[in-house]
């Protein structure tokens, strides 16, 4: 046998031995430095997302009416000026808010009130001053009502030069928590002057009607 043939047989034997060792190695991932190759299957199932607590926080334990009803929007309120009493130089009348919507809502605090006149509804004098402390929320079911007591001063008691008496066509009312106003017809006389010796209008916090 020649030397060349001997060398060829040795190379074939070496290659066969290498293939045999690779088949018995159990499969290694050389990219990962010889660690066992990843099978591609997840080691555990994805965690189940936790249940939402939004619904639980928004409803009572009995699953009934929401614990925090939304604020009553102006569009769902009918606002009227109720009958009242006359005092020393003032009259006191409730400003009544009736829920015309189909769901319960709430009002809290002071409404914004001012005299208005003219076809453009411009304001006459200062807006109503807040009287007393701000109360808690008042819930209004469908057709339910709440009220805020309004004091209307007889402006004839003010000096005319200071007051600048002006005919008034009604009240502009902003329900608590709203930026949309409503008009309540009420013809009287107000003071157009911005600086007065007292309040021509005062309003108290919302109370249950």
């Amino acid at each position: 046998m020649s030397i060349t043939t001997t060398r060829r047989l040795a190379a074939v034997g070496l290659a066969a031995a290498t293939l045999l060792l690779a088949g018995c190695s159990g499969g290694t991932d050389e990219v990962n430095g010889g660690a066992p190759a990843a099978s591609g299957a997840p080691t555990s199932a994805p965690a189940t997302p936790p249940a939402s607590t939004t619904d639980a926080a928004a409803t009572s334990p009995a699953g009934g009416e929401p614990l925090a009803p939304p604020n009553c929007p102006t569009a769902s309120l009918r606002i009227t000026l109720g009958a009242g009493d006359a005092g020393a130089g003032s009259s006191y009348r409730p400003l009544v808010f009736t829920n015309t919507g189909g769901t319960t809502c709430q009002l809290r605090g002071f409404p914004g009130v001012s005299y208005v006149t003219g076809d453009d509804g411009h304001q006459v004098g200062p807006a109503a001053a807040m009287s007393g402390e701000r109360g808690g929320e008042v819930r209004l079911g469908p057709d339910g009502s709440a009220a805020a007591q309004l004091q209307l001063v007889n402006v004839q008691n003010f000096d005319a030069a200071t007051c600048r008496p002006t005919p008034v066509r009604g009240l502009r009312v902003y329900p608590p928590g709203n930026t949309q106003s409503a008009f309540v017809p009420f013809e009287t006389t107000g003071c157009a002057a911005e600086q007065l010796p007292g309040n021509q209008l005062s309003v108290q916090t919302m109370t249950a009607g």
Side-chain angles (χ1 to χ4, degrees), residues 92-195:
Y92 299 84
R93 302 180 65 173
L95 198 56
V96 182
F97 300 75
T98 302
N99 180 12
T100 60
T103 59
T104 297
C105 59
Q106 59 92 12
L107 292 172
R108 179 178 184 180
F110 301 89
V113 185
S114 59
Y115 283 138
V116 292
T117 194
D119 293 336
D120 60 349
H122 63 271
Q123 183 169 323
V124 177
M130 297 181 214
S131 177
E133 296 183 357
R134 182 174 184 263
E137 75 170 33
V138 180
R139 296 193 178 196
L140 286 74
D143 296 323
S145 62
Q149 190 73 7
L150 188 64
Q151 179 183 3
L152 306 99
V153 171
N154 182 354
V155 299
Q156 304 300 329
N157 295 331
F158 296 140
D159 178 73
T162 302
C163 169
R164 289 166 44 202
T166 302
V168 167
R169 296 182 64 178
L171 302 168
R172 178 183 292 127
V173 179
Y174 289 91
N178 283 269
T179 57
Q180 180 182 353
S181 65
F183 174 74
V184 179
F186 177 63
E187 294 186 0
T188 186
T189 301
C191 292
E194 291 298 325
Q195 300 295 327

Side-chain angles (χ1 to χ4, degrees), residues 71-97:
N71 194 66
C72 298
T74 303
S76 295
L77 291 169
R78 182 175 66 252
I79 307 174
T80 55
L81 193 61
D85 301 318
S90 297
S91 60
Y92 299 84
R93 302 180 65 173
L95 198 56
V96 182
F97 300 75

